[in-house]
Amino acid sequence: MKTAALRHRLARLRWYVRELTGEAAYDHYVAHARTHDPHAPVMTRRAFERSRTDAREGDPRQGFRCC
């Protein structure tokens, strides 16, 4: 397998894993925020993750979470 083909496959695998695990959610948020209002402040990654966690834990459809 040639180097370029291997890099392409690894890049696609990395993209898939990031999408599957939710790691790319912040990147999607930043792109969306910049597209819709370029001058609005964007949350930091830490604030974004805290907001996601709070929303997930506050939603009763997500099930009970004890810890």
Side-chain angles (χ1 to χ4, degrees):
M1 182 179 279
K2 296 190 182 219
T3 305
L6 180 60
R7 280 189 196 162
H8 178 71
R9 286 186 185 218
L10 288 174
R12 291 190 51 93
L13 177 63
R14 180 179 182 268
W15 174 87
Y16 180 76
V17 170
R18 290 186 77 230
E19 292 292 329
L20 186 66
T21 61
E23 180 67 25
Y26 180 73
D27 297 334
H28 294 304
Y29 158 72
V30 171
H32 176 80
R34 295 281 184 227
T35 301
H36 285 81
D37 190 359
H39 303 294
V42 176
M43 285 190 278
T44 62
R45 179 177 286 277
R46 185 176 192 153
F48 175 78
E49 293 298 337
R50 169 76 348 215
S51 174
R52 280 181 66 198
T53 302
D54 290 345
R56 191 173 33 234
E57 289 179 354
D59 188 356
R61 294 175 296 176
Q62 294 294 326
F64 179 74
R65 183 175 170 138
C66 68
C67 308

